[in-house]
Amino acid sequence: MTNRPTPSQLALHNVDAIIAIGVLPVFVLAGWPLEGWFWAVALWAVNRFLQARIEHRAAGMPALRGVGVLGASMLLRPWIGMLLLFLITRHDTAMAVSSTLLFMILVTIDIGTRIATHRNFSSSMTGGTPS
């Protein structure tokens, strides 16, 4: 039997997605370019997808290598996302600023919620129940 997450755990793990959708009306009301919202959310979603794929692959690696891959990934993915966002939005200052702020907020929340909701040790590693 698998442990299914409760709705509150699911919401906590996906608070960045909830914010990504919820900030759309803010962009509309503030008159910020919706294209900026799109690019920030699209690049954040790609970032999050890649993180899930990398975590899955790292789980099958030896511990030291897996931690190295996860650490390098956590450092590189936001930088690559920011570079792409800069290249996409460099022609429009309002779009660049609004999309960059949104992307930074979403990535920061994603990292924070991953830390808060992650189980650091499995029962096979500790010989007991997960903490």
Side-chain angles (χ1 to χ4, degrees):
M1 183 173 154
T2 62
N3 291 339
R4 300 193 124 205
T6 65
S8 62
Q9 289 172 326
L10 195 56
L12 178 61
H13 184 70
N14 293 296
V15 72
D16 51 345
I18 295 166
I19 290 172
I21 294 166
V23 80
L24 180 58
V26 174
F27 268 67
V28 171
L29 292 173
W32 296 334
L34 294 181
E35 187 180 355
W37 175 87
F38 169 80
W39 285 116
V41 172
L43 289 171
W44 158 81
V46 168
N47 181 57
R48 194 165 183 210
F49 171 77
L50 290 173
Q51 177 64 24
R53 297 295 306 146
I54 292 166
E55 280 181 358
H56 180 71
R57 294 199 75 183
M61 296 178 182
L64 185 58
R65 185 173 180 192
V67 168
V69 166
L70 289 173
S73 166
M74 190 169 78
L75 292 171
L76 287 174
R77 285 178 298 97
W79 280 98
I80 292 168
M82 288 297 293
L83 176 62
L84 290 172
L85 196 55
F86 169 75
L87 293 173
I88 292 168
T89 63
R90 71 184 182 277
H91 64 279
D92 184 340
T93 304
M95 184 179 2
V97 171
S98 62
S99 62
T100 299
L101 287 174
L102 178 57
F103 181 79
M104 288 182 353
I105 289 167
L106 294 175
V107 168
T108 302
I109 292 171
D110 178 39
I111 291 169
T113 56
R114 283 180 185 278
I115 291 168
T117 62
H118 184 70
R119 290 185 175 180
N120 293 320
F121 299 102
S122 69
S123 58
S124 62
M125 292 174 68
T126 60
T129 58
S131 56

